[in-house]
Amino acid sequence: MKRFIEFFIKKAVFTHVLFLIVIISSIIAYKNVAKELFPPATLDKILIQGAYPGASPKTLDKMAVTQIEDDLKSYQEVSSIESVIRNGSFTITVNLKPNANKLELLSEYKTITSNLKKDLPSDMNEPSVTIAKKAFPLMFISVASNVLNKDELLNHADNIKKILSQIKDLTQIDIRGDSDKNIYFELNNKKIEALGINKSQLINVLSQVSTIFPVGKIEGSTHYFISMYSKNVNDFKNMIINVGNIKVRLKDIADIKKKYETPTQIGKYNGIPNITIDVRKGESGDAIAISKKIRNILKNYHLKHPEITFGISTDTSKWVRNRFNTVVSNIIFGLILVFFIMWIFLNWRISLVVTLGIPTSFAIAMIALDYYNFSLNLLSMLGALIALGMIVDEAIVVGENIYRHMQMGKSKTEAAIDGTVEVFWPVVAAAMTTVLAFLPMLLIKGEIGVFIKILPVMITILILSSLFEAFIFLPLHSKEILKVEESKKDIFWQKFSLFYKNLLKYFFKFRYIALFFFLVMVPVLIAIGMKHSKFQLFPDFDASQIYVNGKFESNYTITQTAKAIKKIEEDLKKYVGKDVEGFTTVVGMQMNNKGEANVGENYFHIFVDLNDKKPTDVYNKYIAPIFQPIKVENQIRTHTAQQLSHMFKKDFADIKIPGMVELNVIVPQAGVVKSDIVISIGGQSQEKIIEAIKKLETVMKKIKGVYNIYDDAELGADELKLKINSYGQKLGFTQVGLFNELRGFFAEAEFDKTFDKDGIVKIILKDKNKDSFNELKTFRVTIPGTNRYIELNKVCDFIITKAFKKLHKYDGIAAKTVYATLNKKIITTADFYVKVNPLLKEFKKEGLIVIIGGAAKTSKEFIKDLKEALVVAILLIFLILVLMFNSAILPFVIISVIPLSFLGVIIGNMIMDMNMTMLGMIGIVGLAGVVVNDGIVMIDFIKKAKNLDEVLEYASHRLRPVLLTSITTFFGLLTLMFFPSGQSAILQPLAIALGFGLAWGTILNLFYLPIFYYVLRRKHLHK
């Protein structure tokens, strides 16, 4: 090892060139690395989706969903199955066990849907099967105008799409609100009957009036491609068709029109009707640069077309920019802090050597990110922020030891070599324990595992980079920069070391009392603290969006809903400017508290985009802006998202809108769990489920701190079933015959296609009065084998049933769900379930099925996985220590610091008024590796002692590096602990756990460890 270190010190030119190559390569790598909100991730899920317009949820369930579910249950790789069935469509989510072969299962599930095809209607497409992926938009662009019609607006949207498609890193640009223009044959039933036309034969003829398929080709001296002439509306109007022996011009029995189909969604921007362009980027590309480019394109387009108003919502590049600014400003500020701390305690030369290690480590890490195709995203950048204080530890220990050897009178080269070699294995072991503390987090399964995966990876890359820097570049930098200078600081350290040595000697006199405190009282305090700690999955933070959503009575059309919410939109307009950047309305959709989209004409969802928050604390107001690489303008919002949500609720309380049954104001939070409370109730009886849900909601409304309570037990449109009666059967009517005849008049379905200048146009058949119930009852169907008609209500019984608007099934069990949000300052998820569990037990006794989801389910799974990760981390750390010390006792002494350090975490949470969170617990796992680092350095030195005086002497030698590594790590986390902004508050609990845990761990390493070591080795030392 000595030769390895010696090589890079003596080959100075080579090492300097290598350093320069690393810096240049990192700049190139930075330009290549993708910058996005979240890393693209493949989930352990497979989606099966299908659709058949006009089918009720219950019909689709019987027709396809149940069969697919039954086939899926036989696979051992399946963890659970969740199905959502709506009018005309269904989605089955197959949750897989960890490490399942997704590609193999994908192929097998496609076989299942392919085999199902024979049992489906001939005009229903085979259900699709795909692997679920996390997808995040770049932005939504609203194209609005008060003067242009829909056709003109769509033309402009299409022009913008064409311009944007030239940006190479954009992978998907979709125009929403771009409903198809179809040709409608609105059949006049009375005229058809007057002419004696057989309706079944008519539908058959109309399904053959056009074709888009090629006929063939002629390959002679001249080549010809043969196809049929495409017809337009006038061609169809004047077309003569032959039904049986009756010839008739099409316009005589139908109104033929080309028009937009009824939109499934209506969009608005700041209350003005709009067309929305959904813009998404690929895995490569800089979200910040692309967003800036798009904004310039829109600005120039507006100058040419002032009648067009553009709005940008959910611009994720702003979030990337804010996180990037946070990380860079913290890194630079951390560099300055580390430099001054080292300068205060040592001198400017060693400060420079150690501080150089931070950008060098980040440079090496940037090369690794580019090589392994990772991205700079919210989580990787926050991981870098967490690692900031740790990556100087190796440099401090190596640099301080080289300086100590110089003080011993050695030459610079000799001191650089001997000082590095002496601490090589302790430093490697310390770095590896940190890495092995974080890497087991990869064992955390499910969506949370996917969500946090990049954190341990990023921290590991940075720690290993700092290790590389500490042994390759730092010894040479130390040789060239360090110089022994007598100063008052050296005298201070001598006096302080003597003070520590005497204090430690005093504790040694009362060693058993000290051990009693550390080994008995501290665990008791930890137990008391844990008992009184409250747990929430993620901390609350100031969001950049607010959701305003709700629903009207189920009979509301999409146009009525869009008109009815104008009062809400007018109320929101008064906030646009200072606090609100703008708001985008989507009518026909509502995002529920699970992050799913409820679809229906009576739903609405308003995305309220907030301006950047005006900084209020000293750091973010005055210091951070100096170091931010991207200057942020319009930080003018004075209210938090939570405050604004309360203001919205207060304003909306005075609004009375007829037909509105639900209005929610939600501040979306981070993570994979979108709702604090998710309770699903299933059973055979629809009435019992509804009754149970009402009981549960009544109890929930009485619990303080519970709000936004709603459910999905909404009854949909009545289902009308036609049952052929005995008279109809005698006349020869069959279900298939009636289906074929009625579908052409009442399905409003596609029966044919043609072309126009823009592409394919669907031909839709329907009765011009199809939406009248009386029209259906008196609709005259053709009596089989004749040309005579009879009213439908004469041959069929009409059976009307009530059904839910949406079916939600868990492992084949249909259930309805109640959602709610909690105010964590008042009540946590665990406290909530203590209050409602008696009622849930009653439901189970009544034969109902209760399924707990949301934060409670995720927390339970997460804590189980985290316990495993903690055990694995401690075992791996122990193994490294055994390898290093060739002893089982010394590793046991060092490992004992880990559980005792938890007291620091509890004290930190109490001081900062924080609940324990998921990331706080991850911080505890990470603390296991960080807190033993100083212990390794301490034990590695005092194990050489042969008596008590030498134990005290060697311990005092380690005082300076132990204090410096702890102080720099604490100050590296300082801004994240005390001045988090925006979404960086997600990691505040993790920083508190590491920072305060390490602060208390430093006391343990300086006092508890030498005492415990001495007690265990006392007899050996006296010998």
Side-chain angles (χ1 to χ4, degrees):
M1 189 50 60
K2 186 175 180 179
R3 287 183 180 179
F4 176 80
I5 303 296
E6 197 175 314
F7 173 84
F8 288 101
I9 293 173
K10 291 186 175 179
K11 300 287 184 181
V13 176
F14 171 80
T15 307
H16 284 310
V17 171
L18 179 63
F19 181 78
L20 191 63
I21 289 171
V22 166
I23 299 302
I24 294 170
S25 299
S26 68
I27 295 169
I28 296 168
Y30 171 76
K31 291 180 179 180
N32 292 336
V33 168
K35 300 165 191 71
E36 55 199 350
L37 180 62
F38 286 106
T42 302
L43 304 174
D44 287 330
K45 296 182 177 187
I46 290 180
L47 301 179
I48 301 174
Q49 297 169 302
Y52 192 61
S56 70
K58 193 176 280 189
T59 301
L60 272 176
D61 184 29
K62 293 177 180 177
M63 190 165 72
V65 175
T66 299
Q67 290 186 59
I68 295 172
E69 287 175 337
D70 289 342
D71 287 336
L72 293 174
K73 286 175 186 176
S74 62
Y75 286 85
Q76 292 181 346
E77 296 90 343
V78 173
S79 171
S80 62
I81 303 167
E82 189 173 341
S83 305
V84 179
I85 315 164
R86 301 182 178 90
N87 289 329
S89 67
F90 66 85
T91 300
I92 302 172
T93 303
V94 187
N95 297 302
L96 304 174
K97 292 176 182 176
N99 304 316
N101 189 326
K102 290 190 280 286
L103 290 176
E104 187 178 306
L105 290 171
L106 182 73
S107 175
E108 293 187 26
Y109 293 171
K110 283 181 177 179
T111 304
I112 289 174
T113 57
S114 180
N115 292 337
L116 181 70
K117 179 68 179 169
K118 64 181 184 296
D119 297 323
L120 300 176
S122 58
D123 56 343
M124 178 178 176
N125 292 327
E126 183 180 310
S128 66
V129 185
T130 55
I131 295 172
K133 288 188 177 182
K134 279 278 185 190
F136 299 95
L138 176 64
M139 64 172 63
F140 294 113
I141 302 171
S142 297
V143 186
S145 175
N146 279 322
V147 295
L148 300 180
N149 61 35
K150 186 174 181 178
D151 278 338
E152 292 169 324
L153 211 54
L154 279 170
N155 283 335
H156 282 290
D158 197 49
N159 289 338
I160 294 159
K161 179 180 176 179
K162 288 174 184 174
I163 296 169
L164 296 181
S165 63
Q166 295 172 19
I167 301 174
K168 66 174 184 176
D169 291 314
L170 296 181
T171 56
Q172 189 176 336
I173 306 169
D174 294 326
I175 298 176
R176 293 186 175 185
D178 182 15
S179 55
D180 293 330
K181 243 185 177 180
N182 301 323
I183 295 177
Y184 288 84
F185 289 4
E186 296 182 354
L187 302 172
N188 189 317
N189 196 34
K190 290 183 179 178
K191 288 183 178 180
I192 292 168
E193 291 176 6
L195 292 170
I197 294 173
N198 185 296
K199 294 179 183 179
S200 295
Q201 291 178 5
L202 172 65
I203 300 302
N204 187 48
V205 170
L206 292 180
S207 64
Q208 301 176 49
V209 293
S210 177
T211 184
I212 60 171
F213 298 113
V215 174
K217 61 183 177 179
I218 296 173
E219 295 182 343
S221 55
T222 304
H223 284 219
Y224 295 97
F225 292 100
I226 310 167
S227 62
M228 302 304 295
Y229 180 77
S230 299
K231 300 182 178 68
N232 57 32
V233 171
N234 285 329
D235 293 329
F236 284 122
K237 283 181 177 179
N238 295 310
M239 177 184 284
I240 297 171
I241 58 173
N242 188 357
V243 185
N245 294 319
I246 301 171
K247 292 182 174 58
V248 63
R249 200 175 294 274
L250 202 48
K251 67 180 179 181
D252 293 334
I253 58 168
D255 294 334
I256 300 172
K257 303 172 183 176
K258 189 177 184 181
K259 60 182 183 180
Y260 287 107
E261 63 185 3
T262 304
T264 55
Q265 292 182 0
I266 292 176
K268 303 181 191 181
Y269 183 72
N270 290 348
I272 303 171
N274 77 331
I275 301 297
T276 302
I277 304 175
D278 181 355
V279 182
R280 296 171 185 262
K281 66 177 280 293
E283 293 185 18
S284 61
D286 185 337
I288 300 168
I290 295 171
S291 174
K292 188 177 179 181
K293 194 170 185 178
I294 291 172
R295 286 175 182 270
N296 286 333
I297 289 170
L298 298 180
K299 185 179 178 181
N300 293 331
Y301 198 93
H302 176 68
L303 291 174
K304 293 179 183 177
H305 304 278
E307 71 279 11
I308 300 288
T309 304
F310 293 111
I312 292 178
S313 60
T314 318
D315 184 356
T316 57
S317 73
K318 285 174 61 177
W319 306 341
V320 176
R321 177 204 67 196
N322 291 343
R323 293 294 65 75
F324 184 68
N325 276 343
T326 299
V327 173
V328 173
S329 60
N330 274 274
I331 288 170
I332 296 172
F333 186 61
L335 272 167
I336 295 168
L337 279 178
V338 169
F339 181 82
F340 278 104
I341 288 166
M342 298 295 290
W343 192 359
I344 290 167
F345 288 109
L346 291 169
N347 59 57
W348 71 268
R349 293 178 183 275
I350 196 167
S351 297
L352 181 61
V353 169
V354 170
T355 307
L356 269 173
I358 296 177
T360 308
S361 297
F362 276 99
I364 298 166
M366 189 61 66
I367 296 167
L369 283 178
D370 185 33
Y371 181 78
Y372 290 107
N373 204 27
F374 288 117
S375 66
L376 271 180
N377 53 69
L378 172 65
L379 294 171
S380 62
M381 287 191 282
L382 290 177
L385 194 53
I386 287 295
L388 176 62
M390 302 176 199
I391 58 177
V392 293
D393 289 357
E394 288 79 14
I396 288 172
V397 174
V398 175
E400 191 273 343
N401 207 47
I402 291 172
Y403 184 70
R404 190 173 65 84
H405 277 263
M406 285 183 179
Q407 287 179 317
M408 291 164 61
K410 294 183 180 181
S411 68
K412 286 188 174 185
T413 302
E414 192 180 3
I417 295 169
D418 292 348
T420 305
V421 171
E422 185 179 23
V423 293
F424 181 85
W425 288 115
V427 167
V428 169
M432 291 310 297
T433 55
T434 305
V435 168
L436 293 175
F438 282 98
L439 273 185
M441 291 176 200
L442 297 174
L443 297 174
I444 296 172
K445 298 182 280 290
E447 287 191 55
I448 282 191
V450 173
F451 182 72
I452 66 164
K453 183 176 102 174
I454 191 65
L455 274 178
V457 170
M458 188 66 184
I459 291 169
T460 298
I461 289 173
L462 280 166
I463 297 295
L464 294 178
S465 299
S466 70
L467 197 63
F468 181 87
E469 192 278 336
F471 293 129
I472 303 297
F473 301 123
L474 187 140
L476 179 61
H477 293 158
S478 298
K479 176 201 163 190
E480 295 177 342
I481 297 172
L482 294 187
K483 183 179 179 182
V484 177
E485 297 171 336
E486 288 295 326
S487 69
K488 292 179 181 179
K489 293 170 188 174
D490 290 328
I491 297 169
F492 163 78
W493 276 113
Q494 288 170 10
K495 289 182 178 180
F496 192 62
S497 294
L498 184 62
F499 169 76
Y500 165 68
K501 187 176 177 181
N502 291 331
L503 184 62
L504 189 59
K505 189 174 183 179
Y506 177 79
F507 277 116
F508 268 63
K509 289 179 182 179
F510 302 97
R511 52 187 171 272
Y512 293 108
I513 295 173
L515 280 182
F516 177 80
F517 171 75
F518 286 122
L519 295 176
V520 177
M521 294 305 297
V522 169
V524 169
L525 290 172
I526 291 171
I528 293 169
M530 293 297 285
K531 186 178 180 182
H532 290 88
S533 293
K534 293 184 175 181
F535 180 80
Q536 67 184 83
L537 203 60
F538 286 97
D540 296 325
F541 67 95
D542 183 44
S544 55
Q545 272 190 336
I546 296 175
Y547 295 164
V548 178
N549 63 34
K551 65 182 178 184
F552 288 81
E553 292 171 354
S554 58
N555 60 346
Y556 264 60
T557 65
I558 196 165
T559 308
Q560 289 172 321
T561 304
K563 188 176 179 182
I565 61 171
K566 282 185 178 179
K567 290 181 181 178
I568 297 171
E569 292 171 327
E570 288 299 321
D571 232 22
L572 289 173
K573 281 181 184 178
K574 70 183 183 185
Y575 292 96
V576 175
K578 191 172 184 181
D579 285 319
V580 174
E581 183 182 5
F583 60 91
T584 302
T585 305
V586 181
V587 183
M589 182 273 286
Q590 176 199 36
M591 295 284 287
N592 67 20
N593 274 20
K594 286 181 72 178
E596 300 168 342
N598 290 327
V599 179
E601 295 190 29
N602 60 324
Y603 292 117
F604 70 92
H605 192 101
I606 303 174
F607 298 88
V608 183
D609 287 286
L610 307 180
N611 284 315
D612 288 315
K613 180 81 166 55
K614 190 176 182 179
T616 53
D617 61 78
V618 175
Y619 172 75
N620 287 298
K621 194 172 184 179
Y622 299 109
I623 301 172
I626 299 170
F627 306 118
Q628 289 174 347
I630 305 170
K631 298 306 172 188
V632 182
E633 298 176 352
N634 294 324
Q635 288 182 296
I636 55 177
R637 176 160 58 95
T638 54
H639 296 95
T640 66
Q642 292 288 354
Q643 289 170 338
L644 282 169
S645 72
H646 290 308
M647 291 161 69
F648 290 174
K649 286 175 185 176
K650 191 176 179 181
D651 289 347
F652 297 158
D654 300 326
I655 296 176
K656 305 296 179 188
I657 303 177
M660 181 178 284
V661 294
E662 185 184 297
L663 178 61
N664 306 305
V665 179
I666 300 168
V667 179
Q669 291 297 299
V672 297
V673 177
K674 304 299 181 185
S675 183
D676 297 319
I677 303 300
V678 178
I679 303 174
S680 300
I681 300 172
Q684 297 299 319
S685 170
Q686 185 172 296
E687 291 74 20
K688 283 182 76 173
I689 292 173
I690 293 173
E691 185 185 346
I693 284 174
K694 286 179 180 176
K695 277 185 186 178
L696 178 59
E697 289 179 348
T698 302
V699 170
M700 289 168 66
K701 285 171 184 175
K702 294 176 182 177
I703 302 173
K704 192 177 179 182
V706 183
Y707 61 101
N708 281 341
I709 302 167
Y710 70 96
D711 61 67
D712 63 1
E714 181 185 2
L715 291 172
D718 295 341
E719 187 168 0
L720 176 60
K721 294 184 178 293
L722 302 177
K723 182 182 179 183
I724 301 172
N725 57 30
S726 57
Y727 181 56
Q729 290 173 16
K730 288 176 183 177
L731 290 175
F733 281 101
T734 62
Q735 285 194 348
V736 174
L738 270 180
F739 168 84
N740 289 333
E741 189 165 335
L742 293 173
R743 184 166 172 76
F745 288 85
F746 291 94
E748 196 169 340
E750 174 193 334
F751 276 76
D752 222 328
K753 293 184 182 78
T754 187
F755 285 121
D756 68 2
K757 61 183 178 62
D758 298 318
I760 294 173
V761 180
K762 297 174 186 174
I763 298 173
I764 309 293
L765 303 188
K766 68 170 189 174
D767 189 303
K768 65 186 303 181
N769 300 311
K770 83 170 215 40
D771 293 324
S772 163
F773 179 66
N774 193 55
E775 174 75 9
L776 178 66
K777 280 175 65 178
T778 59
F779 184 84
R780 286 152 60 87
V781 291
T782 308
I783 299 173
T786 72
N787 285 325
R788 292 181 292 113
Y789 305 107
I790 188 170
E791 290 183 356
L792 186 63
N793 61 4
K794 298 282 178 59
V795 296
C796 283
D797 296 330
F798 286 44
I799 301 167
I800 298 174
T801 59
K802 287 279 184 185
F804 288 120
K805 189 169 189 174
K806 179 178 76 172
L807 281 180
H808 209 139
K809 299 173 75 183
Y810 301 89
D811 291 328
I813 301 166
K816 307 314 293 180
T817 304
V818 178
Y819 305 95
T821 307
L822 302 181
N823 183 335
K824 315 298 188 313
K825 297 292 182 185
I826 299 172
I827 187 169
T828 63
T829 307
D831 296 332
F832 169 83
Y833 280 103
V834 168
K835 294 180 182 293
V836 300
N837 272 336
L839 182 61
L840 299 180
K841 286 177 182 177
E842 280 183 34
F843 293 161
K844 289 177 182 178
K845 287 179 183 177
E846 292 171 10
L848 294 171
I849 295 163
V850 178
I851 303 167
I852 304 297
K857 180 188 176 187
T858 306
S859 299
K860 186 178 177 181
E861 293 169 350
F862 165 73
I863 290 170
K864 176 180 172 290
D865 290 342
L866 194 71
K867 285 178 181 176
E868 292 177 6
L870 182 59
V871 171
V872 171
I874 291 173
L875 289 175
L876 289 173
I877 291 168
F878 187 78
L879 192 64
I880 289 288
L881 296 178
V882 169
L883 181 66
M884 179 182 174
F885 293 108
N886 195 27
S887 164
I889 295 174
L890 294 183
F892 171 74
V893 173
I894 297 170
I895 286 284
S896 66
V897 173
I898 294 174
L900 297 177
S901 65
F902 295 170
L903 181 62
V905 180
I906 293 167
I907 293 170
N909 284 337
M910 288 174 62
I911 292 171
M912 301 301 296
D913 191 27
M914 293 284 293
N915 289 335
M916 183 63 74
T917 67
M918 180 195 82
L919 285 161
M921 294 182 76
I922 288 174
I924 289 174
V925 177
L927 180 64
V930 176
V931 81
V932 299
N933 290 351
D934 291 336
I936 292 170
V937 175
M938 176 65 77
I939 294 294
D940 187 58
F941 265 65
I942 64 175
K943 74 176 183 177
K944 303 170 188 174
K946 296 176 182 177
N947 53 53
L948 175 59
D949 289 337
E950 287 189 2
V951 169
L952 294 171
E953 185 65 29
Y954 283 124
S956 66
H957 285 172
R958 292 296 86 198
L959 174 66
R960 188 163 65 182
V962 167
L963 280 179
L964 287 176
T965 55
S966 298
I967 290 169
T968 52
T969 300
F970 187 87
F971 275 86
L973 297 167
L974 185 75
T975 54
L976 196 54
M977 285 192 288
F978 299 106
F979 308 111
S981 61
Q983 288 190 350
S984 63
I986 299 169
L987 285 187
Q988 187 185 16
L990 196 156
I992 290 170
L994 287 172
F996 283 89
L998 182 60
W1000 171 244
T1002 302
I1003 296 171
L1004 293 171
N1005 282 318
L1006 289 175
F1007 294 97
Y1008 160 74
L1009 263 189
I1011 294 169
F1012 194 27
Y1013 173 83
Y1014 176 72
V1015 169
L1016 289 176
R1017 305 282 290 175
R1018 184 182 173 194
K1019 291 181 181 179
H1020 176 73
L1021 290 172
H1022 276 292
K1023 288 179 183 178

